Amino acid sequence: MIHDIVIYPDPRLKLISEEVTAFDAELHALLDDMYETMVAKNGVGLAAIQIGVTRRVLIINVPIENEEGEPIDQPRDNTLEIINPVITYRSDETVKFQEGCLSVPGFYEDIERHAMVTIAYQDRHGEKFVIEDDEFLAIALQHEIDHLDGKLFIEKLSFTKRKKFEKEWKKRDKKK
């Protein structure tokens, strides 16, 4: 089932998500719905809070690209289902990457993040895993985990850029 995305400045986006303790059919249905929603909304990742569910659940599916570097497919079996993630390592080195967010549609900005992270997590069955990455996936993981902690990428903007964003966002809301 495809869900509506919770859009900034909805206060639910500030909620801290709760740990998952039951790895059951309800969780599996949530993960399946999240995948359908993410693909339907042209996303790369989705945290459960973005569809109004305060659980420490996120998914990421980095699209397969064609030779020109354009995204062409997000097969279901490429989806990382990450439950109860904990960042266990962050490199001192940082990188800037242009980020966007389904909850802040139409806004993109360069955001500084750790260049490499290691994350401990569980899958839909409760099995424990560790993932380490220093590429786009590391950025996406940090972005989605921030959602679980009630944070948005716009909070990482400089004071000046944040004020400009808020002003433009309010203008945009008035036009709707």
Side-chain angles (χ1 to χ4, degrees), residues 4-49:
D4 289 334
I5 299 291
V6 176
I7 302 295
Y8 176 83
D10 191 306
R12 291 176 289 176
L13 293 169
K14 298 301 252 167
L15 297 174
I16 296 174
S17 297
E18 300 166 12
E19 186 171 335
V20 172
T21 56
F23 296 83
D24 55 11
E26 185 180 327
L27 174 65
H28 298 183
L30 171 63
L31 287 162
D32 294 341
D33 286 356
M34 287 174 65
Y35 172 76
E36 286 182 39
T37 302
M38 179 190 67
V39 170
K41 307 293 184 179
N42 296 316
V44 170
L46 186 69
I49 194 62

Side-chain angles (χ1 to χ4, degrees), residues 105-171:
F107 181 75
Y108 301 89
E109 188 61 61
D110 287 341
I111 302 297
E112 190 168 352
R113 298 226 184 238
H114 298 279
M116 182 178 166
V117 293
T118 303
I119 294 167
Y121 70 98
Q122 292 168 281
D123 70 3
R124 69 169 48 216
H125 305 290
E127 192 173 335
K128 294 180 179 183
F129 291 90
V130 172
I131 189 168
E132 179 178 283
D133 197 79
D134 64 353
E135 295 183 9
F136 177 73
L137 180 58
I139 303 302
L141 287 164
Q142 291 172 82
H143 177 107
E144 298 305 334
I145 290 171
D146 275 357
H147 276 299
L148 303 181
D149 294 332
K151 299 174 187 164
L152 291 170
F153 82 106
I154 57 172
E155 295 172 40
K156 295 188 175 294
L157 297 174
S158 68
F159 178 80
T160 307
K161 284 185 178 183
R162 180 74 187 263
K163 288 296 177 194
K164 182 180 177 195
F165 163 78
E166 295 292 348
K167 185 177 178 182
E168 289 172 3
W169 194 261
K170 284 179 185 169
K171 266 195 235 176

Side-chain angles (χ1 to χ4, degrees), residues 91-113:
S91 65
D92 290 335
E93 181 185 353
T94 59
V95 293
K96 279 196 174 189
F97 197 89
Q98 188 172 77
E99 293 186 28
C101 181
L102 293 175
S103 291
V104 188
F107 181 75
Y108 301 89
E109 188 61 61
D110 287 341
I111 302 297
E112 190 168 352
R113 298 226 184 238

